[in-house]
């Protein structure tokens, strides 16, 4: 049985008519870059998150970068984040000319460990970027409390956490801003590149709106150096449709995660993901931890089961970050996770039969190992 890592075709199939109609509307109204479809999606997404505003941008990297810029973060500033994230988190900080400062993650939740913040604080620290990795929100209350105590901004990287909750609050809405990616494979994915920032701060909203459009609050009146980071109309029209199905899709992901957890019960060599008591995880990624990761990965590939590693090299050990001066051993939890993580197929249309099969194939490898 073939099991893909992700099956977007199956996800889109029942909605094709709706997508076609929506795209035709965009074509007929010539609203390709920004415009009414983007404005409508911004309203809908802000309402969904329970935030005052959403600002549509070109992708999740833009969302992070423009938010940091709009908050005035720049040369000489330090921004605390985690080493086990997608590279974009750190690119955005670096592209503001600020310096990323890493702290290790909690070994159960894989998200920023608030106990590590104090030791990374300097006079130059300006912001914290917690990452809601794999769809589980970071432990936000102690992070927000720390930020308040030292006057720091909190920018949530919610690129993997559409609809996730922390103590009943939606991911992305607790800090000064929340940054989302709508890359096609995300829980809420476009038909190309797109992203958004959510915030309750009208001034921040205005700044990001200007920055995403060449620094122009009015056409051909440029008040600052911006960039071209607009969301396009077709992506917004598609996202408006898909947003209506996000909760249903997240529920299915949660159900599948439970089914995987049950299938792995009693197999001590496989550590299944942990949902913190404060969290409503939305399982953008279902990652197990297994010491024989590479053998399992090979075996799954032979069985035509799609799997992935998020992420094999922690950011502080990436070549591009060598100038930051970190060495192996600096963040033992993140480094260990990079060696053990294995992401299994996860998408709403996955069947129970497929889940059982994947779990059985994983167990075949660790079972043999256990006997040796
Ligand atoms: C944690 C995280 N941050 C930022 C991004 C960047 O988003 P995008 O690919 O839309 O630029 C991603 C996307 O993969 C992500 O997973």
């Amino acid at each position: 049985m073939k099991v893909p890592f992700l099956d977007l075709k199956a996800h889109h199939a029942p909605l094709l008519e709706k997508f076609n109609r929506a795209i035709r509307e965009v074509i007929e109204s010539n609203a390709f870059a920004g415009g009414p479809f983007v404005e409508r999606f911004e309203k809908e997404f802000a309402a969904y998150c329970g935030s005052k505003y959403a600002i549509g941008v070109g992708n999740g990297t833009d969302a992070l970068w423009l938010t940091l810029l709009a908050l005035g973060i720049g040369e000489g500033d330090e921004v605390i984040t985690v080493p086990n994230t997608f590279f974009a988190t750190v690119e955005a900080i670096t592209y503001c000319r600020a310096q990323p400062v890493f702290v290790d993650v909690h070994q159960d939740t894989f998200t920023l460990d608030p106990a590590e913040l104090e030791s990374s604080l300097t006079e130059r620290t300006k912001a914290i970027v917690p990452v809601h990795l794999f769809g589980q929100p970071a432990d936000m209350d102690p992070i927000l409390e720390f930020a308040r105590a030292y006057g720091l901004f909190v920018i949530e990287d919610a690129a993997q956490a559409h609809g996730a909750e922390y103590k009943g609050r939606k991911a992305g809405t607790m800090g000064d801003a929340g940054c989302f990616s709508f890359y096609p494979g995300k829980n809420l994915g476009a038909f190309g590149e797109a992203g958004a920032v959510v915030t309750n701060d009208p001034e921040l909203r205005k700044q990001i709106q200007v920055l995403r459009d060449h620094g122009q609050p009015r056409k051909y009146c440029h008040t600052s150096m911006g960039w071209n980071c607009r969301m396009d109309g077709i992506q917004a029209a598609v996202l408006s449709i898909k947003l209506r199905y996000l909760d249903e899709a997240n529920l299915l992901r949660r159900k599948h995660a439970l089914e995987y957890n049950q299938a792995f019960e009693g197999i001590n060599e496989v550590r299944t993901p942990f949902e913190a008591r404060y969290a409503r995880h939305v399982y953008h990624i279902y990652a197990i931890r297994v010491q024989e990761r590479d053998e399992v990965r090979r075996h799954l590939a032979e069985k035509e089961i799609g799997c992935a590693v998020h992420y094999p090299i922690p950011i502080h050990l990436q070549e591009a970050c060598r100038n930051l001066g970190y060495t192996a051993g600096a963040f033992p939890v993140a480094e260990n996770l990079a060696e053990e993580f294995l992401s299994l197929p996860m998408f709403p249309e996955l069947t129970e039969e497929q889940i059982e099969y994947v779990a059985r194939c994983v167990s075949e490898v660790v079972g043999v190992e256990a006997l040796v």
Side-chain angles (χ1 to χ4, degrees):
M1 183 191 327
K2 256 191 190 173
V3 188
F5 183 65
L6 179 67
D7 191 352
L8 286 177
K9 220 166 153 183
H11 191 57
H12 293 149
L15 300 174
L16 278 183
E17 262 310 300
K18 288 193 169 70
F19 292 138
N20 284 335
R21 218 174 308 130
I23 291 170
R24 211 174 310 128
E25 262 184 69
V26 178
I27 295 170
E28 278 163 13
S29 47
N30 268 333
F32 296 109
F37 295 93
V38 173
E39 282 165 28
R40 184 182 68 189
F41 173 69
E42 287 174 336
K43 285 203 184 82
E44 291 166 349
F45 191 62
Y48 174 82
C49 292
S51 190
K52 275 196 188 147
Y53 313 109
I55 309 104
V57 292
N59 51 59
T61 313
D62 284 349
L64 288 160
W65 179 50
L66 296 191
T67 302
L68 290 160
L69 280 180
L71 290 169
I73 288 158
E75 185 120 37
D77 295 336
E78 292 179 359
V79 178
I80 298 176
T81 190
V82 291
N84 64 328
T85 177
F86 180 60
F87 196 58
T89 318
V90 175
E91 278 176 313
I93 296 168
T94 309
Y95 255 57
C96 295
R97 298 164 167 263
Q99 171 140 339
V101 173
F102 299 112
V103 297
D104 213 344
V105 292
H106 194 279
Q107 61 171 346
D108 294 330
T109 60
F110 323 140
T111 57
L112 192 150
D113 186 347
E116 299 288 323
L117 285 170
E118 192 85 50
S119 61
S120 311
L121 186 77
T122 74
E123 281 169 4
R124 294 188 293 171
T125 310
K126 286 284 165 4
I128 308 173
V129 182
V131 179
H132 303 321
L133 196 78
F134 298 163
Q136 168 146 265
D139 190 2
M140 289 303 292
D141 277 347
I143 295 172
L144 292 166
E145 199 179 308
F146 184 88
R148 259 193 304 273
Y150 295 100
L152 311 175
F153 295 116
V154 175
I155 299 125
E156 295 170 64
D157 185 336
Q160 302 186 1
H162 318 74
E165 288 176 15
Y166 176 81
K167 300 182 183 173
R169 285 173 283 167
K170 283 260 166 39
T173 64
M174 295 166 274
D176 296 278
C179 299
F180 290 86
S181 161
F182 303 121
Y183 185 75
K186 295 291 198 274
N187 289 28
L188 179 59
F191 279 5
E193 304 280 350
V197 181
V198 297
T199 184
N200 289 327
D201 178 345
E203 196 46 44
L204 181 60
R205 175 204 193 200
K206 211 186 311 165
Q207 296 263 8
I208 296 172
Q209 283 175 328
V210 170
L211 285 171
R212 76 173 167 182
D213 192 18
H214 300 291
Q216 50 181 352
R218 295 193 314 280
K219 202 162 176 68
Y220 302 132
C221 165
H222 303 271
T223 52
S224 58
M225 285 294 167
W227 202 250
N228 177 359
C229 305
R230 294 177 299 242
M231 178 186 271
D232 77 62
I234 287 181
Q235 303 312 335
V238 166
L239 287 166
S240 282
I241 294 169
K242 289 182 78 173
L243 180 60
R244 290 179 225 145
Y245 300 91
L246 175 62
D247 281 343
E248 192 182 315
N250 280 344
L251 260 179
L252 286 167
R253 286 173 183 271
R254 288 178 56 76
K255 178 171 165 279
H256 300 330
L258 197 68
E259 287 159 356
Y260 268 129
N261 292 348
Q262 284 164 351
F264 286 123
E265 232 159 39
I267 302 169
N268 297 334
E269 293 80 2
V270 174
R271 280 202 269 174
T272 53
F274 166 85
E275 183 177 40
R277 284 175 64 165
Y278 54 68
R280 186 172 185 280
H281 200 316
V282 291
Y283 296 98
H284 169 56
I285 299 287
Y286 181 90
I288 55 168
R289 292 177 66 182
V290 60
Q291 280 178 8
E292 306 86 348
R293 192 261 311 279
D294 296 331
E295 288 97 301
V296 176
R297 201 178 179 192
R298 266 195 298 276
H299 186 60
L300 295 187
E302 274 164 25
K303 299 276 180 185
E304 298 189 293
I305 294 172
C307 56
V309 173
H310 298 93
Y311 299 94
I313 308 173
I315 310 285
H316 66 288
L317 300 179
Q318 292 284 354
E319 168 119 31
C321 294
R322 202 189 287 160
N323 65 314
L324 297 176
Y326 292 104
T327 51
F331 304 107
V333 180
E335 288 169 32
N336 182 240
L337 293 174
E339 282 169 12
E340 294 188 356
F341 268 153
L342 183 65
S343 309
L344 301 181
M346 173 54 84
F347 51 91
E349 295 71 24
L350 205 57
T351 66
E352 240 178 287
E353 198 189 0
Q354 287 175 316
I355 290 170
E356 274 167 25
Y357 177 65
V358 174
R360 204 175 332 121
C361 291
V362 171
S363 311
E364 277 165 14
V365 181
V366 296
V368 170
E369 286 288 311
L371 289 176
V372 173

